Amino acid sequence: MAPARPAAAGPQASRTGLLGGPVPILIAAVLWGTTGTAGSLAPAGAPAAAIGCAGLALGGILLFLTSRGARSLPAACTRPEQRLLVLGALAVAGYPVTFYPAVARTGVAVATVVALGSAPVFAGLLSWITGRARPAARWTGATAAAVLGCTLLVLGPELTGHATPMDMTGIVLAACAGLSYAVYSLIGGKLITCGHSSDAVMGVMFGAAGLLVLPLVLSAGTQWLATTRGAAVALHLALFTVYLAYRLFGHGLRHTPASVATTLTLAEPAVAAVLAVTVLGERLPAASWCGLAVLALGLAFLAVPAGTERR
């Protein structure tokens, strides 16, 4: 994809292209990759959807309260930009609402590969449809490799075992989660390139989304939050996978198109797989390790600034 804004020429541009875009996004993906391991450590009676929504509610509100300019951002936006903020908040809230039910219906493997694999495709198509950018060969090749690697990585155990019936409702929900992620990534990138602070944009969208999902957390029951383990899991999700991760993600969107950013975040299932092996003692078949290698190559190709290739 073409850059959202032109970069300055020279060595400084090269440093900005790497440290100002791909690296913060990849660090955010690493933090997101801890979500599954952290969730598995929650109390047995904690509903899966409540775990994700609790992290979003706590982290989103914290992100809003600590983001400079977040309170004044809606007033500083034009009417169309205000509508984008509302749509972005709805998209953020829509991710846990659709993703966690998808996990319950199809399992972690299928839901993860459908949601994360579809997100960069949705982002590229939406950018093309809205006239912001046309998919380039570099993005298309890297995204295809990353999606293929993600598929092999996550579905490796399924591919080497017995086939199980697919729950189409769960598949649709997972695809909706991928669409939600693509939408709020594009909206965040659009508002940031319009000159608004990335911290303020992320603070407003996630703060509003946190308020939107709060009733779901309360209605699902909060007994698990009163336990030491439950509180620790919720705080980890709030502080690291929402607050810190989306600060980094917003910073990376200053210099990285949203379509590229969503492809880079396919590093998340790779991190989740490594943690599952090293922390939870799970085993990966050869197909998954091959997928991990293909995914890493695709992400590395996309993370290297295009200017470096030309030089």
Side-chain angles (χ1 to χ4, degrees):
M1 297 293 289
R5 59 172 61 177
Q12 181 63 35
S14 177
R15 290 193 297 268
T16 299
L18 182 62
L19 300 179
V23 170
I25 291 172
L26 287 173
I27 295 175
V30 170
L31 293 174
W32 291 327
T34 66
T35 301
T37 301
S40 68
L41 299 176
I51 295 172
C53 289
L56 174 58
L58 293 173
I61 294 172
L62 178 63
L63 195 59
F64 173 78
L65 293 176
T66 59
S67 296
R68 179 180 301 178
R71 294 177 179 82
S72 59
L73 178 62
C77 289
T78 63
R79 187 63 60 86
E81 290 173 344
Q82 291 174 349
R83 288 195 288 267
L84 285 178
L85 279 174
V86 173
L87 180 59
L90 291 172
V92 172
Y95 186 85
V97 171
T98 53
F99 180 71
Y100 289 98
V103 170
R105 299 183 71 100
T106 67
V108 175
V110 175
T112 301
V113 73
V114 172
L116 296 180
S118 64
V121 178
F122 280 130
L125 292 176
L126 288 173
S127 292
W128 193 5
I129 291 171
T130 56
R132 296 190 62 198
R134 187 176 67 179
R138 174 188 175 87
W139 175 86
T140 302
T143 298
V147 171
L148 173 62
C150 183
T151 302
L152 291 174
L153 169 66
V154 179
L155 295 184
E158 302 289 336
L159 295 174
T160 55
H162 297 288
T164 56
M166 291 291 181
D167 188 309
M168 291 310 299
T169 301
I171 296 294
V172 172
L173 286 171
C176 289
L179 179 60
S180 296
Y181 175 51
V183 168
Y184 72 72
S185 298
L186 287 170
I187 290 176
K190 169 68 174 177
L191 293 172
I192 290 168
T193 55
C194 285
H196 298 294
S197 165
S198 61
D199 287 349
V201 170
M202 290 296 164
V204 170
M205 289 201 304
F206 278 80
L211 292 177
L212 288 174
V213 301
L214 188 57
L216 295 177
V217 178
L218 298 177
S219 64
T222 57
Q223 296 86 351
W224 64 278
L225 281 171
T227 66
T228 301
R229 179 177 294 184
V233 169
L235 286 175
H236 172 82
L237 295 176
L239 294 177
F240 293 99
T241 69
V242 176
Y243 176 76
L244 180 57
Y246 280 101
R247 276 204 183 280
L248 291 168
F249 186 68
H251 178 74
L253 283 177
R254 295 177 185 175
H255 309 285
T256 307
S259 56
V260 175
T262 51
T263 299
L264 290 170
T265 54
L266 286 175
E268 176 185 348
V271 174
V274 172
L275 286 176
V277 171
T278 58
V279 177
L280 302 180
E282 297 182 3
R283 293 186 177 183
L284 291 179
S288 292
W289 288 111
C290 291
L292 182 61
V294 174
L295 174 58
L297 288 175
L299 295 178
F301 177 72
L302 194 61
V304 173
T308 301
E309 291 182 348
R310 286 195 296 270
R311 286 191 293 274

